[in-house]
Amino acid sequence: MTAVGRTHAERSRATRTALITAGRGLFGERGYADVGTEEIVRTAGVSRGALYHQFSDKRALFDAVVEEVEAEVTRRVVEDALTGPADPADALRAGARAFLDACAVPEVERILLLDAPGVLGWERWREIGARHGLGVIETALQTAIDAGALRPQAVRPLAHLVLGALDEAAMVVARAADRDAAREEMLAALEGLLFS
């Protein structure tokens, strides 16, 4: 279908997607503070008016980018955990490793770990992370408890602690001189918290 034949909703969706894609690439490469709206609209191939029709400001666009990146990271973690070992404890381990590996990708690291907490504020950053990952973590923990791999306990508070521990572990790895060693140290510490 040509651009002329597309509906208003389709054009709007395409514009929004172009802006998020452009913003994601630029924010991931250089960081939120070093990217201006003129560059975003130029890269997206849209007008400044189109940007402000879709998003109230650059921060709102960044919020949408964070949502997209967080959703992709969560999907990757779930896929890695589900295609890995059938043992619930090993699936938890695989999910934690997949999360830290995903956060080591420079674009993800910059957007989710370095910029999102400061740009969006801790509460909004945590809300996005919880909406995408908390349920996944709760399900994995409950499955491990049901299988006897973890002692019986309240799952929701534990899931919040695990989510926070994973975020902190990812930040430690992102700032480490030896990221591989830091990743292994963080995974070992998480193992000790959950399975000791």
Side-chain angles (χ1 to χ4, degrees):
M1 185 178 294
T2 66
V4 173
R6 293 191 304 181
T7 66
H8 175 70
E10 289 169 333
R11 287 191 306 273
S12 181
R13 233 181 347 268
T15 298
R16 183 177 179 83
T17 298
L19 285 163
I20 290 172
T21 301
R24 179 176 176 166
L26 293 167
F27 296 143
E29 182 182 321
R30 294 201 324 269
Y32 179 84
D34 290 338
V35 175
T37 57
E38 282 299 323
E39 186 177 13
I40 295 168
V41 297
R42 188 173 51 253
T43 302
V46 302
S47 68
R48 182 181 273 295
L51 169 67
Y52 292 114
H53 178 75
Q54 294 292 326
F55 302 99
S56 59
D57 55 18
K58 184 173 91 166
R59 184 182 176 280
L61 170 60
F62 184 73
D63 188 285
V65 168
V66 171
E67 285 276 2
E68 180 178 274
V69 174
E70 187 73 48
E72 287 178 14
V73 167
T74 301
R75 274 194 302 277
R76 178 178 169 189
V77 168
V78 169
E79 288 169 4
D80 285 1
L82 292 179
T83 59
D87 176 72
D90 288 340
L92 273 169
R93 292 178 184 103
R97 180 172 295 280
F99 179 77
L100 293 183
D101 288 347
C103 289
V105 173
E107 176 190 68
V108 174
E109 175 187 314
R110 179 173 290 281
I111 291 170
L112 288 188
L113 301 178
L114 302 178
D115 284 351
V119 173
L120 301 180
W122 186 89
E123 285 187 24
R124 176 67 180 142
W125 175 65
R126 173 58 63 215
E127 175 189 328
I128 293 169
R131 184 172 49 260
H132 291 281
L134 190 63
V136 171
I137 294 170
E138 283 180 316
T139 299
L141 291 170
Q142 188 63 61
T143 301
I145 289 168
D146 292 347
L150 292 176
R151 67 174 176 76
Q153 58 192 294
V155 172
R156 187 134 183 113
L158 181 59
H160 278 284
L161 291 174
V162 170
L163 180 62
L166 286 169
D167 284 339
E168 182 64 20
M171 286 187 201
V172 168
V173 172
R175 289 173 172 80
D178 184 345
R179 290 178 175 203
D180 292 335
R183 185 178 305 107
E184 294 311 312
E185 288 172 355
M186 293 297 107
L187 289 169
L190 187 59
E191 171 94 10
L193 286 173
L194 288 175
F195 300 106
S196 293

